Amino acid sequence: MSRRGLGGRFGRGARLASTGVRSAAGLAAAKARQMSGGDVDPEEFHRTTAELLVDVLGEMKGAAMKLGQLLSFVDVDLPPEVRSIYHEALASLRDSAPPMDPARIEAVVAEEYGAPPGAIFAEWEREPLAAASIGQVHAARLDDGREVVVKVQYPGVAEAVRADLRNAEAFTPLARIISPHLEVEPLIDELRERVGDELNYEREATYQRAFANRYKGHPFIHVPEVVADMCRSRVLVVERVRGRSFNEVADHGTDEDRQRLGEIIFRYAFGTIERFRLFNGDPHPGNYLYEDGGRVAFIDYGSVKMFSRERFEHMQRMNRTVRHGDPQQLVARLRESGFLPPGVAIDADLMCEWWQLYMRPILAEQPFTFTPEFATEVIRSTTDPRSKYLRVLRPLNLPPDYLLLNRIHFGVNSVLGRLRATNDWRAIRDEYSSGGPPATPLGELDRAWWRARSPVYDPPA
């Protein structure tokens, strides 16, 4: 990675824009050569473009790199052979992004503690374990012998990310053309609030402790403990967890391991919402570690949201309406939840059909298998200009609370699709939403833990 600064607002935007221009120009030239009978290798073109994106996004860090990490696992609407090229290249941003000079990271530690890492930790490894969008992780040991990982924020990244978010306002006119009833400003405010959380490691520590408290003693969900007195605004210290990465399990694990991992991810994502009105909004594969013994550690809490009781009840009512297949009632629910502005008419049957696509893993005949094709179909339904659903989706607003929830759905679809996870997802969801009986052996373990945790067992109504 370049050792220069992260760059100013306009320099960063110009670099990213020039990458897009070069990619578009290259594609146009390739098509022209193909039409004139010239030789062109589409695979080589896309591979070169993907590598260029990795170079630019990796160097820029911040919001731009986070976009690359999201694209690395979400099944965007591209032909499979092209999609795999971009996934493989961009995965490096997720799993082993370009690290920053250790001296610059150690300078941040010294600024936060008033002393260099060697004076704060009994042991400090200069080479990072991982590099991510706004910080990188180093292994260390405390004076009491505990092994920890230390996430340190890149110098200058907070200012760079905030500049990226200021640039986001430039997309308002375009967003209104695409979706004329979309209230863009509240969405941008919500995005700024959530990203602000990610930039404050002391706040992330608070969120992680909240999850750790809720899942204390859980039989298969592990939230690493935070070393609270060691955390600072740009330094996060947590217990070190060892395990196989998601990619290792997905590519080389047994089918039993893949199915177990998929079920645990599903239970964590949706069970946390149903039980605690809380969710972790960053469902990418780099945040899962499959421990020996079959527990899964969930390791990143920079993007967390808690729903108000009122919003949560709206969500539950809407989900029940979709499951019952009542189009007119769904339109009423959309209006009360802020999705459908007053006076705007839509095709209720088509709207209900789209929501049933969105909720297919729950509504379809069980067991249901997540696939990359299903994940792509859901995304295509909202982005493909030829999609029949656009005429009912375009008039909708997106309430700010749902901004990260959509990311959860799209991300979980893609993650479980890669695992080809198969289960009775409806019965599993019912365990949490209506107190249904345990649907699997993991459900039995979870129910026993929940009853022990809650002396008066009272399933959600």
Side-chain angles (χ1 to χ4, degrees):
M1 169 181 170
S2 168
R3 306 308 178 200
R4 294 171 299 171
L6 290 169
R9 174 182 178 185
F10 297 107
R12 289 164 56 78
R15 180 117 197 252
L16 189 56
S18 69
T19 302
V21 170
R22 278 181 284 166
S23 299
L27 182 56
K31 287 183 176 178
R33 288 196 300 273
Q34 193 174 38
M35 291 175 65
S36 64
D39 292 332
V40 62
D41 185 346
E43 182 173 328
E44 183 58 31
F45 164 76
H46 285 291
R47 194 170 301 282
T48 301
T49 301
E51 290 171 356
L52 176 63
L53 282 170
V54 168
D55 176 61
V56 172
L57 296 176
E59 183 171 337
M60 288 176 70
K61 304 293 188 187
M65 181 172 161
K66 187 165 285 293
L67 171 63
Q69 292 177 329
L70 179 65
L71 293 174
S72 73
F73 73 92
V74 170
D75 293 289
V76 292
D77 186 14
L78 290 170
E81 65 277 8
V82 174
R83 189 189 313 142
S84 64
I85 290 172
Y86 285 91
H87 278 199
E88 290 170 9
L90 290 166
S92 64
L93 293 177
R94 184 183 70 230
D95 301 326
S96 55
M100 184 170 279
D101 184 344
R104 297 188 66 192
I105 292 295
E106 290 166 4
V108 173
V109 173
E111 289 173 11
E112 291 294 321
Y113 292 104
I120 303 299
F121 300 96
E123 295 178 16
W124 170 266
E125 293 187 13
R126 299 198 78 203
E127 288 301 312
L129 292 172
S133 56
I134 63 173
Q136 66 188 41
V137 178
H138 291 256
R141 189 183 298 274
L142 302 182
D143 288 338
D144 62 9
R146 282 180 291 171
E147 289 187 300
V148 295
V149 292
V150 184
K151 184 162 73 170
V152 184
Q153 192 173 112
Y154 300 123
V157 76
E159 295 79 6
V161 170
R162 291 188 180 104
D164 289 340
L165 292 177
R166 286 196 295 272
N167 287 334
E169 291 178 335
F171 291 96
T172 298
L174 176 61
R176 290 211 171 105
I177 290 173
I178 296 171
S179 185
H181 297 287
L182 189 67
E183 297 179 17
V184 181
E185 289 81 3
L187 288 176
I188 292 176
D189 290 342
E190 172 75 5
L191 182 62
R192 285 183 177 137
E193 185 173 347
R194 298 283 73 78
V195 173
D197 287 347
E198 292 194 57
L199 293 171
N200 187 332
Y201 285 179
E202 288 177 311
R203 190 172 301 167
E204 179 176 344
T206 299
Y207 288 144
Q208 186 160 340
R209 288 201 304 274
F211 275 77
N213 288 339
R214 284 164 174 79
Y215 280 107
K216 189 175 183 63
H218 197 278
F220 53 80
I221 292 172
H222 178 199
V223 180
E225 291 291 334
V226 176
V227 186
D229 60 344
M230 296 287 292
C231 294
R232 302 291 186 272
S233 63
R234 293 186 294 169
V235 181
L236 178 69
V237 183
V238 302
E239 69 167 302
R240 185 171 185 179
V241 177
R242 287 181 169 81
R244 285 182 286 167
S245 70
F246 176 92
N247 287 340
E248 289 179 85
V249 177
D251 295 339
H252 307 295
T254 65
D255 186 61
E256 181 181 358
D257 283 341
R258 287 193 295 272
Q259 296 303 326
R260 182 182 179 91
L261 176 58
E263 182 180 340
I264 293 173
I265 290 172
F266 184 93
R267 285 180 176 278
Y268 173 80
F270 297 107
T272 305
I273 295 173
E274 296 286 354
R275 277 182 174 158
F276 307 122
R277 292 186 285 112
L278 191 67
F279 76 95
N280 183 348
D282 200 2
H284 76 68
N287 291 342
Y288 312 131
L289 285 176
Y290 192 78
E291 301 178 34
D292 290 345
R295 282 198 315 180
V296 177
F298 296 85
I299 60 174
D300 193 308
Y301 292 84
S303 185
V304 168
K305 175 79 175 179
M306 174 167 272
F307 288 109
S308 68
R309 189 171 299 280
E310 180 183 23
R311 175 60 73 188
F312 178 68
E313 290 170 354
H314 280 164
M315 289 167 49
Q316 288 185 312
R317 286 197 294 270
M318 195 149 60
N319 287 341
R320 286 195 295 267
T321 300
V322 175
R323 287 180 68 163
H324 293 154
D326 186 336
Q328 296 302 325
Q329 186 66 24
L330 174 62
V331 169
R333 297 297 185 213
L334 290 172
R335 290 195 194 280
E336 77 175 20
S337 296
F339 278 96
L340 190 60
V344 176
I346 59 170
D347 182 332
D349 291 328
L350 189 60
M351 187 76 262
C352 190
E353 183 181 323
W354 181 82
W355 276 93
Q356 288 178 332
L357 165 64
Y358 189 74
M359 293 179 60
R360 185 184 296 169
I362 305 299
L363 301 179
E365 182 178 349
Q366 302 294 315
F368 175 86
T369 299
F370 283 90
T371 65
E373 292 75 23
F374 167 68
T376 301
E377 181 184 0
V378 175
I379 292 176
R380 182 183 294 132
S381 73
T382 68
T383 59
D384 189 337
R386 298 162 296 180
S387 169
K388 66 179 180 179
Y389 299 113
L390 286 189
R391 64 187 176 93
V392 292
L393 295 175
R394 191 168 181 265
L396 296 183
N397 178 42
L398 180 64
D401 282 347
Y402 286 86
L403 181 64
L404 289 186
L405 191 60
N406 277 346
R407 181 179 173 186
I408 283 279
H409 273 281
F410 292 156
V412 169
N413 284 347
S414 294
V415 165
L416 298 189
R418 186 163 167 207
L419 295 170
R420 301 275 173 175
T422 303
N423 219 313
D424 186 338
W425 307 110
R426 179 165 60 236
I428 292 174
R429 191 77 177 262
D430 285 347
E431 291 179 36
Y432 301 102
S433 63
S434 59
T440 68
L442 288 180
E444 295 280 0
L445 292 174
D446 178 82
R447 178 61 56 88
W449 167 82
W450 182 246
R451 282 178 166 158
R453 180 187 184 279
S454 309
V456 178
Y457 180 67
D458 184 18

